[in-house]
Amino acid sequence: MFCIAGRPAGMASIRTSICAVISVAVLVFVTIVPAHAFAAGGMGDDDEDGIPTPTVAGDFNRDGIADMAMASMPVAGRTGVGSGQAFLTVLLGQKDGSFRQAASNPAIGLDPQSIVVGDFNGDGIPDLIVGDADGSLIELLGDGTGNLVSAGEIAHVSSVVSIARGDFNHDGIPDMAVSDSTSGSITILLGEKGGSFHTEWSFSYERLGMAEYLTAADFNGDGFTDLAVTNKDGEMIEVMLGNGHGTFTASPELRSVKDPYSHCAT
């Protein structure tokens, strides 16, 4: 776990908030979902290479029970682009804690890296956006029964490592931040009515070629959504403070560098 040391006492609550959110984010990034656990739902075998499967939770059939959506990888496993077509599998939660696979199984690219859930077209039903290693961002719209239908590619960057969802410009419509290891940048995509997006701006991060992961939350309590950026090893956490207009400012005082002798407050 990582904390920010040597900062004013007034930053304690912000540090605790960042630690808590990053803890959850890193857990999600590195967790491997054992596909065999859902074999009854038609999931198939584990990824033989032990590579994490992008997975999100949501109530896709609006029955009040949590469901899951995950990338079903080709038999060859997640060995990179070109290994075969990947598909989305939706597992609908049941009252007894089991899952039932939804009927739809749309294609989601060759090497999906990140999935986010949100009501992107404003119809009150959870939708998904899947980011592929080739840079494509595919939107899938929910129908309220657990099935999702592809609405096609809504944006394209050089590569996708991680996607964070938040309302960055305070208009009530979900936006996205996408990390791109090929260009060494993070792109901010602002949502529009109907489920489309436009690129607001992008900014570079220090470590070109590194896989950077994102999470969005209001870290400083000003009512605006901020971004935290880290890699899978958690060597450094950068915090970008949102201004409510869709842009962000680096916050050096909230930067966290890995310190084996520190720990987060509990």
Side-chain angles (χ1 to χ4, degrees):
M1 208 56 55
F2 313 101
C3 288
I4 304 168
R7 302 290 186 250
M11 305 296 288
S13 62
I14 298 177
R15 295 199 298 270
T16 301
S17 174
I18 295 174
C19 284
V21 176
I22 291 296
S23 298
V24 174
V26 172
L27 176 64
V28 171
F29 296 147
V30 302
T31 297
I32 297 174
V33 178
H36 65 77
F38 310 107
M43 283 301 302
D45 297 327
D46 279 332
D47 183 332
E48 62 186 17
D49 295 322
I51 300 175
T53 300
T55 307
V56 292
D59 186 6
F60 300 112
N61 59 350
R62 299 188 295 177
D63 64 352
I65 303 173
D67 310 311
M68 291 192 295
M70 60 197 303
S72 295
M73 307 310 299
V75 175
R78 288 190 62 194
T79 55
V81 175
S83 60
Q85 180 68 61
F87 297 89
L88 181 76
T89 295
V90 176
L91 301 171
L92 302 177
Q94 308 298 299
K95 290 183 179 180
D96 62 359
S98 63
F99 291 86
R100 173 179 59 83
Q101 185 170 324
S104 66
N105 199 218
I108 53 173
L110 298 176
D111 192 15
Q113 297 294 304
S114 186
I115 304 176
V116 291
V117 61
D119 180 12
F120 298 113
N121 62 350
D123 63 356
I125 301 171
D127 309 308
L128 295 175
I129 291 178
V130 181
D132 196 85
D134 68 0
S136 61
L137 290 153
I138 300 171
E139 186 173 44
L140 299 108
L141 301 179
D143 66 358
T145 69
N147 296 311
L148 291 104
V149 178
S150 177
E153 184 176 295
I154 48 90
H156 200 107
V157 294
S158 297
S159 65
V160 175
V161 173
S162 175
I163 308 171
R165 178 187 61 83
D167 184 4
F168 302 137
N169 59 349
H170 248 221
D171 64 353
I173 301 173
D175 310 310
M176 291 188 298
V178 182
S179 65
D180 178 349
S181 62
T182 300
S183 65
S185 66
I186 294 169
T187 298
I188 306 301
L189 299 166
L190 298 184
E192 300 177 348
K193 292 181 179 179
S196 61
F197 290 82
H198 72 270
T199 301
E200 176 68 8
W201 71 305
S202 63
F203 57 92
S204 299
Y205 51 79
E206 297 177 359
R207 293 155 292 183
L208 181 64
M210 293 287 289
E212 302 290 344
Y213 297 93
L214 310 174
T215 190
D218 180 9
F219 293 118
N220 61 348
D222 63 354
F224 301 135
T225 304
D226 312 310
L227 284 176
V229 186
T230 187
N231 60 23
K232 66 179 180 180
D233 298 319
E235 295 172 349
M236 180 181 293
I237 298 171
E238 298 279 359
V239 176
M240 307 290 294
L241 297 180
N243 59 13
H245 301 291
T247 57
F248 297 82
T249 302
S251 180
E253 68 273 15
L254 294 180
R255 172 181 288 188
S256 173
V257 180
K258 187 174 183 179
D259 180 357
Y261 301 104
S262 69
H263 63 279
C264 287
T266 58

